Amino acid sequence: MQFGKGHAIGVALAIAAIALAPVLVTNGFYLKVLFLIGVNYLAAAGLNVLVGHTGQKSLGHAGLFAVGAYTAALLTARLGWNPWLAFVAAGAMAGLFGVLIALPALRVRGPALAMVTIGFGIVVEKVVSEWQDVFGGQAGIYGVVPPSIGGSALNDSQWVWFVGALAIVAHLTIRALLRGKYGRAFMAVNTAEVAAESVGVSVYTFKVLAFVISAVTCGLAGALIAQQNQYINSDFINFSLSIFFLLIVLFGGSSVYGPLVGAVVLTLLDAFLARWPTAQHFTYGALLLFALYAMPDGLSGALGRLAKKLVPALARKPVLPAPTTGWKLRAAERLAADKPLLQTRAVYKAYGGVVPTNNIDMELTTGHIHSLIGPNGAGKTTLLNILSGIVPPDRGSIEFAGQSIVHMVPNRICAIGLGRTFQNLKLFSDMSVLDNVKVGLHRHMRAGFWSCLLGLPNAQREERAARDEALQILDFLGLLDKADEVAGSLPYGLQRRLELARALATHPRLLLLDEPAAGLNPQETQDLIGVIAKIRDLGITVLLIEHHMDLVMAISDHVIVLDYGEKIAEGKPGQVQNNPRVIAAYLGTDEPDEDDLELEASHG
């Protein structure tokens, strides 16, 4: 695993504190509190991946806690399993239930997703309460066998060491995962799902993965409680526990240290307020509101900002290496010029009585810049959304690079070489400029989940290679000096260029540009002409939607004209420019925006 100097010191101090605490603290109640801090951290660390990084709200993780607890209880008390194996099985069973919840739950979003997870938690609570023959109901399951060393069950001090060791492992592995391509993919899904799909990230896969990670850590936390108490019943499992876990994440903040901060503060507060249940619930509600409105990035974020003010050295960013070579398209993506690349036949899409794409036939040729023009409502963006898989056509055929892509999901279409930008910017605005481009490289990074989770050398080498290539792309587009800046803080024109850089990082054979000059000033528009020409010279075919006719006529090899969803003309710029019907209906319009109704209908 990769350690920075400051992080290595922090981990060493944490290990020393965990090692010394049970020696210095002998009071059983205080040891129990330390144990609960570790348990709550373990549950929250995984939940933070789901909530803080992937943006999925869950209010049912008490159910997954129950799955882990009852798995350990049943396997040891009823089936005689080795308690260590039962502990591992508890995490695995919780992960399986995480998949079972995620598959149907992630078909909905926002409040509906939270309601589905609440439903799961309630069902689990009722099952363990009412199914007495298996789960013991209110009486619960006695005789849960705890792990042992040398034939002796763990004592209070050893439980603190055990849960502390698990917490250290959880921190290191989750930190390694989130600092690499998986962490960027989670954040991309959180910020802009459509954009994440367009650069090769499977939104559904990463949502399920985040659910599984959160389920495993929550299940292990449940197993720890059952085995440490040697008893479990339905009183341990309730909706308040789900709220408590979520509060730890929201109050602590989404940083990798947030769950630790939240677990320490809220576990101590919970122990202090245990004798006053009414005040306890009121305090949790007040803290939740405070966390949501006063500290949107949690206590860890507030402490981080304070630390950087007090110690300016903490705010310094590492010096990035200057690119030594220019960026080039991967050899496997370069195609011979003047060959058919994409063909559509009778592509049709209707929204009720509105037909934005009406039997479009089109052929794009490698090495050329094609432009798609027409007034607002002509169906240009609809056609691009169909080509990139965001909107399925009602009928018709589309072949790209020799494959049919009709009804293919966007991330798969990206994987065979189609990249795009959007009419309305869809950057990952809270991520750095460099990380935005690195998300574009996601599909080319081959390190698997376990390599990234464990921070193995191959994952670290690939991460450095991705950084170097992303810097080459930024240099190619004149954004190298902005690499460390937050994407959302850039001026509009540079944000447009960054979205183009992210699309180039996918190594597209065909690049779809949806009004790249929208909102640019005349100088930026003129610079864009040179940029598009450079992209074409790299071997990338371009399909461009644009209202700036000067740009279209200056850069295009071939122009296609749409009117109310129908193709009315196509040919070389001069031919189209002199077409009487085109002159009458289209040239001279300079509307910067196009209604994107179909995109909202598909993803809204």
Side-chain angles (χ1 to χ4, degrees):
M1 292 186 181
Q2 191 171 17
F3 291 91
K5 183 178 179 180
H7 179 252
I9 293 173
V11 170
L13 291 174
I15 292 173
I18 292 169
L20 292 174
V23 176
L24 301 176
V25 177
T26 57
N27 183 289
F29 174 75
Y30 294 151
L31 289 173
K32 179 72 171 180
V33 171
L34 290 174
F35 171 76
L36 289 176
I37 288 174
V39 169
N40 291 332
Y41 168 75
L42 197 62
L47 186 59
N48 187 40
V49 176
L50 179 69
V51 176
H53 288 262
T54 316
Q56 307 303 299
K57 300 298 183 282
S58 173
L59 290 169
H61 267 57
L64 295 167
F65 183 91
V67 170
Y70 278 93
T71 297
L74 291 171
L75 290 178
T76 58
R78 302 280 176 82
L79 299 179
W81 276 45
N82 179 290
W84 292 104
L85 292 179
F87 176 74
V88 174
M93 183 61 71
L96 176 60
F97 270 81
V99 174
L100 295 178
I101 302 167
L103 291 178
L106 295 178
R107 297 186 184 278
V108 295
R109 300 180 184 181
L113 173 61
M115 294 303 293
V116 170
T117 59
I118 288 174
F120 168 75
I122 292 173
V123 167
V124 171
E125 183 180 351
K126 290 299 180 184
V127 167
V128 299
S129 298
E130 303 297 334
W131 197 354
Q132 297 189 19
D133 290 344
V134 177
F135 300 103
Q138 291 291 331
I141 300 175
Y142 288 88
V144 180
V145 182
S148 60
I149 299 176
S152 300
L154 300 183
N155 58 36
D156 289 345
S157 296
Q158 290 170 332
W159 273 113
V160 172
W161 287 327
F162 180 41
V163 76
L166 289 173
I168 292 292
V169 170
H171 167 74
L172 293 177
T173 54
I174 289 176
R175 178 179 181 269
L177 190 73
L178 294 180
R179 285 166 63 88
K181 71 172 188 176
Y182 283 86
R184 290 190 297 272
F186 289 137
M187 289 300 294
V189 169
N190 186 358
T191 307
E193 291 185 10
V194 175
E197 283 278 348
S198 76
V199 293
V201 174
S202 172
V203 168
Y204 197 71
T205 297
F206 276 87
K207 285 183 177 181
V208 171
L209 179 60
F211 243 104
V212 170
I213 292 170
S214 69
V216 169
T217 63
C218 211
L220 292 176
L224 284 168
I225 290 294
Q227 291 185 307
Q228 201 265 353
N229 289 322
Q230 301 182 40
Y231 166 73
I232 191 72
N233 78 345
S234 57
D235 290 342
F236 286 83
I237 317 302
N238 52 56
F239 181 63
S240 296
L241 184 62
S242 293
I243 295 294
F244 185 69
F245 289 154
L246 183 61
L247 181 58
I248 290 174
V249 171
L250 296 178
F251 182 76
S254 62
S255 86
V256 73
Y257 303 102
L260 175 60
V261 175
V264 170
V265 173
L266 292 178
T267 304
L268 293 175
L269 186 63
D270 184 66
F272 178 73
L273 296 176
R275 69 186 70 181
W276 303 294
T278 303
Q280 190 179 43
H281 294 152
F282 172 80
T283 303
Y284 290 159
L287 279 175
L288 183 58
L289 290 174
F290 180 75
L292 291 174
Y293 292 102
M295 297 190 306
D297 53 356
L299 183 58
S300 64
L303 292 174
R305 289 194 301 273
L306 178 62
K308 288 176 182 178
K309 286 182 180 178
L310 296 176
V311 186
L314 295 175
R316 291 198 199 112
K317 295 174 181 176
V319 178
L320 296 170
T324 56
T325 59
W327 183 73
K328 294 181 180 179
L329 190 67
R330 292 173 189 250
E333 309 299 340
R334 292 183 66 90
L335 300 174
D338 301 319
K339 302 292 183 182
L341 178 61
L342 182 142
Q343 301 89 27
T344 70
R345 296 290 180 266
V347 172
Y348 178 90
K349 182 68 183 180
Y351 296 97
V354 178
V355 184
T357 306
N358 193 356
N359 295 319
I360 297 295
D361 293 339
M362 181 174 67
E363 183 169 300
L364 304 184
T365 305
T366 56
H368 289 206
I369 296 174
H370 305 262
S371 288
L372 193 62
I373 66 172
N376 285 346
K380 305 182 297 298
T381 294
T382 299
L383 183 56
L384 253 63
N385 288 338
I386 290 172
L387 297 180
S388 57
I390 293 173
V391 173
D394 294 333
R395 61 174 181 261
S397 66
I398 307 171
E399 284 200 0
F400 172 59
Q403 297 185 50
S404 172
I405 60 173
V406 174
H407 301 302
M408 189 180 286
V409 294
N411 69 82
R412 288 292 307 133
I413 293 175
C414 173
I416 59 175
L418 191 149
R420 70 164 297 175
T421 65
F422 294 87
Q423 179 184 6
N424 299 313
L425 276 171
K426 296 187 185 299
L427 289 176
F428 308 128
S429 55
D430 292 331
M431 297 169 65
S432 71
V433 168
L434 181 62
D435 280 345
N436 265 265
V437 180
K438 286 162 77 173
V439 174
L441 291 165
H442 178 87
R443 77 178 183 93
H444 299 288
M445 300 179 72
R446 302 304 179 193
F449 173 78
W450 293 106
S451 292
C452 293
L453 183 71
L454 299 175
L456 297 182
N458 66 317
Q460 295 180 32
R461 285 193 300 271
E462 192 173 64
E463 189 66 23
R464 289 191 294 270
R467 177 204 62 194
D468 293 344
E469 183 173 359
L471 291 173
Q472 290 176 352
I473 295 170
L474 291 174
D475 190 35
F476 176 76
L477 291 176
L479 291 171
L480 185 60
D481 61 329
K482 307 296 183 183
D484 279 327
E485 296 190 22
V486 177
S489 69
L490 295 180
Y492 184 81
L494 295 185
Q495 289 189 36
R496 278 281 180 195
R497 192 166 289 200
L498 174 57
E499 191 178 44
L500 179 56
R502 186 184 66 192
L504 287 178
T506 67
H507 286 262
R509 296 173 173 179
L510 173 62
L511 180 61
L512 310 181
L513 302 179
D514 196 348
E515 299 195 32
L520 303 186
N521 61 42
Q523 183 57 52
E524 289 171 332
T525 302
Q526 192 63 36
D527 293 342
L528 181 63
I529 293 174
V531 168
I532 295 174
K534 286 169 61 179
I535 291 171
R536 186 261 318 276
D537 294 342
L538 287 173
I540 299 172
T541 305
V542 176
L543 176 60
L544 169 74
I545 289 179
E546 193 47 68
H547 284 284
H548 288 72
M549 289 300 107
D550 290 344
L551 187 154
V552 169
M553 295 304 159
I555 199 65
S556 302
D557 299 306
H558 184 258
V559 179
I560 302 165
V561 189
L562 298 185
D563 179 21
Y564 293 106
E566 296 184 354
K567 183 175 72 174
I568 64 165
E570 68 174 315
K572 294 184 179 299
Q575 295 172 330
V576 170
Q577 194 172 23
N578 294 322
N579 186 306
R581 189 175 177 188
V582 174
I583 292 172
Y586 301 102
L587 292 187
T589 60
D590 192 17
E591 301 291 340
D593 297 315
E594 179 177 339
D595 183 19
D596 204 12
L597 174 63
E598 65 283 356
L599 188 58
E600 296 297 326
S602 175
H603 294 276

